[in-house]
């Protein structure tokens, strides 16, 4: 099996976890690295287990049976960006913190890879948001697996986000920002501002305001087959557009249009492991902390 690796430059405390993951890949797999900085890190920090790893450039096209994201959800999101629309399924190995996308514990890597080699796994297809607007840099990937957010920039004043869903004007949000999240991203930034959690296969987006001026404003779930248009007013005449944490500053004359991407991200999941079980484990649902 040809495996494409993604990661980042880890703290020393996690180095042995990375070593364990690489050792679990064994001699049976052809290992590629799709990130030059991660390859340089592995070559310097773990020369004994990285000799078989070959660097490749995803921008020039890369082919693999599976991608392995070693880290947390942020690493997984960067892997999804590098893979783009190539359709390479991604397995997330968690050596980070919470981890909804990267939900395989590092110590289980060997067992999970054995299950995958035996065909005991499933593929979940996750939808992405596609951003259309003027003034995006040429090298800026206009897709988001988690969320798209418009946020105030360098001022304590709120911004006004005029929001249209399909052909219907929805609302003008007076707030610090507005998040449009996918079902995958409903457990990320959107959840932190009070947005609902969606099942991963839901055909919906969540629109969640950030610190709205009105207490009556609440998050809203809309169908994912509509186009959402955002137009921003700001005293600074600028605002921040963020896609999965990748940000660019835009002029208020630039409006943002959001729609469903024409491709999906394929996520590798273990058989018998459900999203409901992940919620219970990660969010500690049902745990009684009382003494």
């Amino acid at each position: 099996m040809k495996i494409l690796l993604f990661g980042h430059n880890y703290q020393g405390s996690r180095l042995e976890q990375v070593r364990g993951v690489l050792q679990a890949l064994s001699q049976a797999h052809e290992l590629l690295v799709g990130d030059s900085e991660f390859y340089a890190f592995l070559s310097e920090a773990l020369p004994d287990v990285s000799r078989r790893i070959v660097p490749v450039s995803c921008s020039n096209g890369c082919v693999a049976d599976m991608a392995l994201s070693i880290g947390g959800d942020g690493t997984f999101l960067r892997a999804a960006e590098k893979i783009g629309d190539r359709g390479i399924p991604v397995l997330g190995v968690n050596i980070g913190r919470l981890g909804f996308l990267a939900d395989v514990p590092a110590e289980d890597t060997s067992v999970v890879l054995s299950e995958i080699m035996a065909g005991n796994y499933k593929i979940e297809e996750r939808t992405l948001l596609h951003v259309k607007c003027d003034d995006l840099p040429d090298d800026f990937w206009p897709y988001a697996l988690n969320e798209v957010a418009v946020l105030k920039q360098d001022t304590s004043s709120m911004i006004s986000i005029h929001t249209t869903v399909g052909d219907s004007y929805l609302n003008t949000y007076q707030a610090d920002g507005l998040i449009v999240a996918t079902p995958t991203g409903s457990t990320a930034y959107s959840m932190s501002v009070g947005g609902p959690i969606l099942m991963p296969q839901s055909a919906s987006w969540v629109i969640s305001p950030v610190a709205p001026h009105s207490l009556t404003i609440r998050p809203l779930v809309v169908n994912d087959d509509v186009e959402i248009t955002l137009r921003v007013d700001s005293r600074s005449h600028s605002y921040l557009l963020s896609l999965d944490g990748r940000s660019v500053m835009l002029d208020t004359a630039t409006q943002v249009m959001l729609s469903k991407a024409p491709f999906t991200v394929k996520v590798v999941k273990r058989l018998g492991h459900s999203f409901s079980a992940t919620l219970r484990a990660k969010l500690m649902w049902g745990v009684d902390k009382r003494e």
Side-chain angles (χ1 to χ4, degrees):
M1 176 180 285
K2 185 180 293 187
I3 298 178
L4 182 62
L5 302 175
F6 293 95
H8 62 81
N9 299 350
Y10 297 96
Q11 300 173 357
S13 61
R14 296 176 181 171
L15 193 59
E16 288 308 307
Q17 288 181 295
V18 179
R19 181 192 299 275
V21 171
L22 294 180
Q23 289 175 335
L25 296 175
S26 74
Q27 298 294 321
H29 306 290
E30 182 180 349
L31 303 184
L32 313 173
V33 173
D35 185 302
S36 59
E37 292 185 1
F38 185 48
Y39 176 71
F41 163 76
L42 292 177
S43 299
E44 179 178 351
L46 298 170
D48 56 324
V49 294
S50 62
R51 294 190 183 96
R52 294 179 49 250
I53 299 176
V54 178
V56 295
S57 173
C58 289
S59 60
N60 295 328
C62 53
V63 178
D65 299 303
M66 187 180 72
L68 196 70
S69 167
I70 308 172
D73 284 353
T75 305
F76 193 104
L77 293 174
R78 288 191 293 273
E81 177 188 358
K82 292 282 188 180
I83 291 170
D85 61 356
R86 293 183 179 88
I88 302 172
V90 189
L91 175 68
V93 174
N94 186 12
I95 63 170
R97 293 185 177 87
L98 190 60
F100 279 93
L101 288 166
D103 61 353
V104 174
E107 59 271 20
D108 291 350
T109 304
S110 181
V111 173
V112 173
L113 286 174
S114 296
E115 293 173 352
I116 290 172
M117 293 296 290
N120 297 324
Y121 67 97
K122 61 183 177 181
I123 298 290
E124 292 183 358
E125 298 201 19
R126 303 293 184 90
T127 56
L128 299 92
L129 283 158
H130 182 198
V131 174
K132 299 175 186 176
C133 72
D134 298 330
D135 302 328
L136 281 181
D138 292 338
D139 60 349
F140 194 88
W141 197 55
Y143 300 97
L145 177 58
N146 265 3
E147 75 277 314
V148 174
V150 292
L151 303 163
K152 66 180 185 180
Q153 171 74 9
D154 295 333
T155 176
S156 60
S157 300
M158 295 181 296
I159 57 176
S160 300
I161 308 113
H162 308 282
T163 306
T164 300
V165 177
D167 296 328
S168 301
Y169 166 71
L170 175 63
N171 187 39
T172 295
Y173 293 90
Q174 305 281 342
D176 285 354
L178 190 69
I179 302 164
V180 180
T182 67
T184 300
S186 69
T187 54
Y189 192 5
S190 178
M191 184 176 71
S192 76
V193 299
I197 296 174
L198 301 181
M199 299 298 284
Q201 305 306 321
S202 300
S204 305
W205 310 133
V206 180
I207 301 176
S208 300
V210 180
H213 182 59
S214 172
L215 294 178
T216 62
I217 298 296
R218 292 291 181 265
L220 177 68
V221 177
V222 301
N223 294 341
D224 68 2
D225 58 355
V226 297
E227 185 174 77
I228 299 173
T229 303
L230 307 176
R231 184 173 60 81
V232 179
D233 288 330
S234 169
R235 290 183 182 180
S236 65
H237 305 293
S238 65
Y239 64 96
L240 197 68
L241 175 68
S242 174
L243 284 69
D244 290 346
R246 297 171 287 110
S247 301
V248 61
M249 189 170 66
L250 297 177
D251 188 273
T252 51
T254 303
Q255 70 176 12
V256 175
M257 290 165 287
L258 310 176
S259 59
K260 186 194 292 187
F263 61 94
T264 61
V265 169
K266 301 181 187 301
V267 181
V268 180
K269 293 293 182 180
R270 302 177 71 179
L271 293 180
H273 287 247
S274 67
F275 182 68
S276 301
T278 300
L279 290 177
R280 292 195 303 273
K282 301 295 184 180
L283 301 183
M284 302 177 68
W285 285 5
V287 174
D288 191 344
K289 285 291 188 178
R290 294 173 295 181
E291 293 292 338

